[in-house]
Amino acid sequence: MRVDVVTIFPDYLAALDLSLVGKARRAGLLDLRVHDLRDWTADRHRTVDDTPFGGGAGMVMRPDVWGRALDDVLPEPGADVTGHLVVPTPAGEVFTQRHAEALAREEHVVLACGRYEGIDARVVEHARSAGHRVSELSIGDYVLNGGEVAALVMIEAFGRLLPGVVGNPHSLVEESHGAAGLLEYPVYTKPPSWEGLEVPEVLLSGHHARIDRWRRDRALARTAARRPDMLRVLEVDSLDAADLAVLAELGWVVDDGRLRTVAE
Ligand code: ADE
């Protein structure tokens, strides 16, 4: 997979040399290139921004500079490979594991990191009309100073889903925000007793069916406490009788094919 990042702070992306993503790059699984947007400026001062039309605070990134950069970095229109342009922005759709899965299936992703008040809106429009897929994505309901950290988050999230990047693919199966639609259960390792705190007995029992049931119960309870929004959209067909019993104890019932709390 090829990934290009365009930014005015290429050094921000140095973290992509580390850990699993760094290993994937060195193994040739991920062809990741970071570019300095200022390389596409046309003036002595290497200007990338200007004042907003219509007035208001801050500066807006110029479409001509971004247009030249993206024309060079995105695949040519009509090429075998199509490109997916991702623009991190707090005004985007919220980035989820589903976006990470979709991006991991792409052949070529380009991330355009804006700063200041954002990128002139015509840049996205232009890329779409050239036939590229374009996603404007937010990593959460808070405002960062630019798209670089959000790009790091997204690259790590989709990069680890590429075949061969995570050593044991089973670790992708049960994790939070995976196919089960639940948060992950709590995990423990040695020593079995630490600071007066004991590992739950069942995990030491070697009884796999009981361990699976305990983990499933903890996942349901955790999701109910921390992310009731996830329970509300859960496929009820994925729940067995034991799940429904645990949920009932937690105050959740099935109503018209969806979970809701008894209080509603
Ligand atoms: N740029 C600034 N804030 C952001 C956010 N929350 N998500 C993605 N990009 C951003």
Side-chain angles (χ1 to χ4, degrees):
M1 179 184 199
R2 166 136 172 216
V3 175
D4 292 87
V5 184
V6 184
T7 166
I8 58 167
F9 294 118
D11 291 348
Y12 240 110
L13 284 302
L16 295 173
D17 281 332
L18 306 173
S19 186
L20 282 179
V21 172
K23 226 170 118 190
R25 290 175 83 173
R26 288 186 290 279
L29 300 169
L30 186 62
D31 174 8
L32 193 141
R33 308 176 195 188
V34 180
H35 311 269
D36 187 342
L37 177 67
R38 293 194 201 275
D39 291 346
W40 285 277
T41 53
D43 66 317
R44 204 156 64 78
H45 301 291
R46 314 228 297 159
T47 310
V48 294
D49 60 341
D50 215 319
T51 53
F53 280 123
M59 300 291 270
V60 175
M61 296 189 103
R62 292 177 60 104
D64 49 354
V65 180
W66 270 109
R68 283 192 293 273
L70 296 178
D71 282 350
D72 279 355
V73 166
L74 279 163
E76 300 265 318
D80 297 348
V81 177
T82 55
H84 192 142
L85 174 64
V86 174
V87 183
T89 164
E93 221 176 88
V94 177
F95 177 76
T96 67
Q97 191 68 18
R98 304 293 88 75
H99 292 99
E101 287 159 1
L103 290 172
R105 288 191 291 268
E106 293 283 3
E107 288 175 283
H108 190 178
V109 173
V110 175
L111 293 112
C113 301
R115 285 258 145 187
Y116 318 114
E117 296 305 307
I119 302 173
D120 185 301
R122 290 169 292 181
V123 171
V124 156
E125 215 180 297
H126 178 70
R128 262 200 198 105
S129 53
H132 302 295
R133 282 183 288 290
V134 180
S135 302
E136 294 177 87
L137 299 173
S138 166
I139 60 162
D141 291 344
Y142 38 80
V143 180
L144 306 169
N145 288 328
E148 287 76 10
V149 170
L152 284 173
V153 166
M154 294 179 204
I155 294 167
E156 179 146 330
F158 70 69
R160 61 194 292 285
L161 301 179
L162 299 177
V165 172
V166 169
N168 178 0
H170 286 294
S171 61
L172 300 177
V173 174
E174 285 187 5
E175 65 190 6
S176 300
H177 305 292
L182 299 174
L183 299 182
E184 200 178 8
Y185 49 77
V187 294
Y188 301 85
T189 186
K190 291 178 252 318
S193 176
W194 174 75
E195 299 275 346
L197 300 168
E198 308 301 322
V199 170
E201 191 63 45
V202 59
L203 299 179
L204 311 176
S205 70
H207 195 302
H208 295 296
R210 277 182 53 215
I211 292 171
D212 287 348
R213 188 64 250 167
W214 182 88
R215 286 179 165 165
R216 179 87 182 160
D217 292 352
R218 296 334 303 151
L220 288 163
R222 213 180 220 191
T223 311
R226 299 178 182 175
R227 293 294 304 275
D229 58 305
M230 288 172 67
L231 285 190
R232 283 179 222 287
V233 297
L234 195 66
E235 286 300 332
V236 290
D237 293 348
S238 69
L239 300 169
D240 64 18
D243 294 337
L244 292 172
V246 175
L247 285 165
E249 266 176 50
L250 296 166
W252 288 80
V253 288
V254 175
D255 179 17
D256 209 7
R258 287 274 166 238
L259 284 167
R260 67 161 172 82
T261 65
V262 283
E264 289 165 67

